[in-house]
Amino acid sequence: MMRKSIVAALVAVLCLLVPMASVSAETLRNDALKLKLNGAFLIYSKGTMPYVDANNRTLVPLRVFADVLNGEIKWNNRDKTVALTSSALTITATLNEKEAIINGEGVTLDSSITNKNGTIMVPAKWVADGLGASINWDKKNKVVSLNDDKFFQEGPLASMNNEQHVDTQFNANIIPLSISYGEKDGDELMKMTIFNNSEHVYQQTELQDHLLVFIDSEHVIEEGTKGETNSDRSDLRLITRIDSYKTYEYYLPVGRLDKQQLQIDVPQYAFIRFYKYS
């Protein structure tokens, strides 16, 4: 009995000394808010996915915008202050304070930067206002869209612009609804559920997808970057017809996003964009 008590005491002390991991990966769900940047949907985060807070403000992972803008984040643990610095945008704010300095100017909102499950979340409006970017809210499909020519221009995420054979005059209007996993040919692969939110009926291989999985600054996984249908590994190419306002499922040639990839690490996040082949 005495030995058990000593062991229990040691465990309690270790719990005080070693911080418990609070970050848990999240993937896109049917009922979840969807973040869309220049047509690319955020479908997975190693931390918290975007959500709407009690003040009806959209909060998004600050780290995502730091990498999309090829910037950096500095955290002051003593003051609970976080700073995003990039050539296009700077934000300095204190956790849970409804004030911030954006591009050198003070602003006040009815929301604040917050730490949710280990992820620093920032109001999307702060980012949009700081960039002068357009922002749109699709209430029916729960999609918040930000568009700015500074996104995906530098750094490891710049390859999001590598797509070829894109019909730039056509809005694909395909919405990813959720991610799940299933077995195919003995491997556990990612399964994507999509919704054709348009009148257009896609014929086989007319709709293309571009997946980018960000692991770290030197390692990404990409599928569908060139629009070359003869080498495309996405099962989207196997769907013979995609009717308007219908839902479809297909497999992508990547494993679980919440597990180690390329024998390196668990990915930070993943984007996917859909476009019409020209």
Side-chain angles (χ1 to χ4, degrees):
M1 180 65 70
M2 178 65 71
R3 183 177 180 182
K4 290 183 179 179
S5 298
I6 293 173
V7 171
L10 287 173
V11 170
V13 170
L14 288 173
C15 286
L16 291 174
L17 294 176
V18 181
M20 302 299 289
S22 58
V23 177
S24 58
E26 293 186 357
T27 54
L28 188 66
R29 306 186 316 273
N30 278 323
D31 59 344
L33 175 72
K34 301 163 186 67
L35 176 64
K36 184 180 179 184
L37 305 178
N38 286 8
F41 287 88
L42 179 69
I43 58 173
Y44 160 85
S45 172
K46 189 177 181 180
T48 301
M49 288 285 281
Y51 66 95
V52 177
D53 70 6
N55 296 311
N56 205 34
R57 291 291 189 186
T58 299
L59 295 180
V60 295
L62 184 63
R63 172 59 64 186
V64 168
F65 282 97
D67 288 319
V68 165
L69 294 168
N70 196 35
E72 64 176 3
I73 291 177
K74 291 184 179 180
W75 168 252
N76 185 320
N77 191 54
R78 184 188 65 183
D79 299 331
K80 306 301 179 187
T81 299
V82 64
L84 164 63
T85 304
S86 73
S87 60
L89 173 69
T90 62
I91 297 177
T92 303
T94 302
L95 209 63
N96 301 319
E97 295 290 336
K98 296 179 180 180
E99 296 178 346
I101 300 174
I102 300 178
N103 295 335
E105 297 185 6
V107 298
T108 302
L109 281 175
D110 56 0
S111 192
S112 61
I113 281 183
T114 186
N115 183 337
K116 185 171 182 180
N117 299 327
T119 303
I120 301 298
M121 308 294 288
V122 62
K125 190 176 188 311
W126 289 15
V127 176
D129 289 350
L131 292 171
S134 63
I135 185 169
N136 181 67
W137 169 240
D138 178 353
K139 182 178 180 180
K140 179 181 178 182
N141 295 299
K142 295 184 179 180
V143 177
V144 59
S145 303
L146 279 79
N147 296 290
D148 192 275
D149 57 11
K150 305 176 192 69
F151 292 154
F152 305 115
Q153 292 302 308
E154 300 178 274
L157 298 188
S159 57
M160 198 74 224
N161 290 328
N162 281 352
E163 297 149 358
Q164 298 180 14
H165 305 289
V166 179
D167 186 344
T168 57
Q169 304 302 312
F170 187 87
N171 178 13
N173 211 358
I174 298 293
I175 300 175
L177 297 180
S178 66
I179 289 175
S180 59
Y181 299 94
E183 186 173 315
K184 181 186 177 184
D185 299 329
D187 295 319
E188 186 178 35
L189 298 179
M190 188 177 84
K191 184 187 294 184
M192 176 68 65
T193 302
I194 61 173
F195 176 67
N196 181 6
N197 189 44
S198 73
E199 299 284 348
H200 186 77
V201 176
Y202 292 91
Q203 304 303 317
Q204 189 169 13
T205 72
E206 185 181 22
L207 180 66
Q208 295 288 301
D209 57 355
H210 177 190
L211 174 72
L212 186 151
V213 180
F214 179 86
I215 300 173
D216 59 34
S217 60
E218 297 181 354
H219 300 91
V220 297
I221 298 172
E222 286 190 89
E223 293 294 339
T225 62
K226 302 300 183 184
E228 297 172 352
T229 58
N230 62 338
S231 61
D232 190 357
R233 301 198 306 158
S234 168
D235 281 1
L236 181 62
R237 76 192 191 285
L238 303 180
I239 303 176
T240 57
R241 177 185 170 102
I242 298 177
D243 289 313
S244 58
Y245 304 109
K246 297 291 184 181
T247 300
Y248 296 85
E249 289 185 342
Y250 69 94
Y251 284 101
L252 280 155
V254 293
R256 294 189 65 94
L257 296 178
D258 55 358
K259 291 187 177 181
Q260 189 182 76
Q261 298 283 339
L262 301 181
Q263 298 181 343
I264 297 172
D265 199 357
V266 175
Q268 298 295 313
Y269 39 79
F271 286 94
I272 195 166
R273 181 186 285 131
F274 298 93
Y275 59 94
K276 183 173 176 287
Y277 185 86
S278 66

